[in-house]
Amino acid sequence: MKIVLSQTMGYCKGVSRALDMAQKAIEDAREAGLPVYSLGKLIHNKQVCNQFAQEGLVEINGPAGQQKGVVVLRAHGIGDALRSEFLDAGYHVVDATCPVVKRNLHHIARYAPNHSILIVGHAKHPESTAMQGVCIDQKVIASRLITGLQDVGEPEEGVSYAVFVQTTFDQSLWTQIKQALSVWQDTGTTVLFANEICPSSVNRRTALIELASQCDGVVVIGGKDSANTRALYSLVLEMGKKAWHIEDETEITNEMYQCAILGITAGASTPHSLVERIVGALQQE
């Protein structure tokens, strides 16, 4: 069996930045004698989260119920009201929101006074939740979440729309939704597409298409709750190739060895060390 690695995979810049900021926050909190927290999972990778937990980073869901300290806001962003709750409660906030995501959050507030906001994303994904939590004058901006074509519906007469997409949303589904929303423009409705899927996600997808075209099957490495990793896995299946979405080497199956050429890719929250470990395990058989 020949193993071929994707030319683009693993950590994106936003995740790398968040991890660096979390590491520094842990060190600073330790020096100051303060507890250090992350709001939810720092990234969608259990191995990395476990490693940070061993260093003292505690996962919390809100400001209540624990000693005040340092809280790291993950790359996916956070709603304005929840951010204010942490600040008002006396936490030191380390904002590791991805700059691309932060720009989109700012633009939602910018366009909201003159546009109805549509958010295309996965329900309950932290980035989508953050986009639905943007405030103006301490009031949450009204928005509508579109998770698939079934949610597009029809435009309201005389309403202008600004559309924001989760940066890690499925590219193929986004293309379909964007086309459906573009039809509204034919009837004179203003539809502004304010952002696109993150270039890092697009590049990872493009590299995967090239990889899968020369392989019998592809192993996609990353957290099961990682949206961009699931999108990569779905893309391989859409291409008619065998695919396996695994989190670590314990999920390696005998079926993988039936591929003459096996491709390897990884999501944006997957460390290179984990990829190396899985490749090493595959090569030992």
Side-chain angles (χ1 to χ4, degrees):
M1 180 181 68
K2 179 181 179 182
I3 295 177
V4 181
L5 304 182
S6 177
Q7 292 186 356
T8 302
M9 62 177 174
Y11 286 162
C12 64
K13 291 181 179 179
V15 167
S16 293
R17 175 178 176 272
L19 296 179
D20 288 343
M21 293 179 72
Q23 190 65 58
K24 187 175 188 305
I26 291 171
E27 295 168 1
D28 291 346
R30 187 178 296 136
E31 289 182 7
L34 294 172
V36 59
Y37 309 100
S38 69
L39 178 61
K41 295 184 185 302
L42 184 61
I43 63 173
H44 285 148
N45 182 275
K46 66 180 182 181
Q47 292 88 355
V48 174
C49 289
N50 289 342
Q51 178 183 338
F52 274 100
Q54 291 174 4
E55 295 185 44
L57 187 68
V58 178
E59 180 183 326
I60 59 174
N61 295 315
Q66 57 274 321
Q67 180 185 349
K68 308 302 181 288
V70 179
V71 61
V72 181
L73 307 183
R74 57 195 171 190
H76 300 109
I78 183 178
D80 290 336
L82 186 54
R83 180 197 300 270
S84 295
E85 286 182 31
F86 275 107
L87 292 171
D88 292 344
Y91 284 82
H92 174 69
V93 174
V94 175
D95 189 355
T97 302
C98 170
V100 175
V101 174
K102 186 176 291 187
R103 172 184 176 276
N104 295 335
L105 297 176
H106 287 161
H107 280 191
I108 289 174
R110 172 187 171 190
Y111 288 117
N114 299 307
H115 297 79
S116 180
I117 303 298
L118 300 178
I119 295 170
V120 179
H122 299 299
K124 297 183 180 180
H125 187 279
E127 184 182 340
S128 296
T129 300
M131 289 194 286
Q132 292 174 283
V134 177
C135 294
I136 295 180
D137 297 329
Q138 298 183 331
K139 293 182 179 180
V140 176
I141 295 169
S143 62
R144 182 162 69 88
L145 180 66
I146 296 175
T147 62
L149 287 171
Q150 73 280 358
D151 299 324
V152 172
E154 299 293 335
E156 295 182 38
E157 185 175 352
V159 175
S160 297
Y161 295 89
V163 184
F164 291 83
V165 62
Q166 176 187 319
T167 57
T168 57
F169 197 69
D170 314 74
Q171 180 71 52
S172 57
L173 183 54
W174 165 234
T175 299
Q176 296 174 50
I177 293 173
K178 188 174 181 179
Q179 289 174 344
L181 291 171
S182 296
V183 172
W184 292 7
Q185 297 172 323
D186 297 338
T187 61
T189 300
T190 298
V191 181
L192 171 68
F193 295 101
N195 76 315
E196 287 291 340
I197 290 175
C198 179
S200 177
S201 293
V202 174
N203 292 341
R204 193 175 289 103
R205 175 188 170 91
T206 300
L208 176 57
I209 291 173
E210 180 180 348
L211 174 72
S213 66
Q214 57 182 299
C215 297
D216 304 301
V218 177
V219 174
V220 183
I221 304 169
K224 296 293 173 63
D225 53 355
S226 166
N228 75 87
T229 306
R230 292 197 306 268
L232 295 174
Y233 171 70
S234 297
L235 176 59
V236 180
L237 295 178
E238 289 170 8
M239 294 179 66
K241 297 295 181 76
K242 292 181 179 179
W244 299 269
H245 180 179
I246 70 175
E247 291 190 336
D248 57 40
E249 65 273 21
T250 64
E251 296 180 87
I252 292 174
T253 66
N254 291 331
E255 189 181 12
M256 296 175 187
Y257 294 100
Q258 297 174 13
C259 296
I261 303 178
L262 182 67
I264 303 288
T265 191
S269 298
T270 305
H272 186 65
S273 59
L274 179 58
V275 175
E276 289 183 327
R277 202 166 78 213
I278 289 174
V279 171
L282 285 166
Q283 292 174 331
Q284 287 175 8
E285 294 292 332

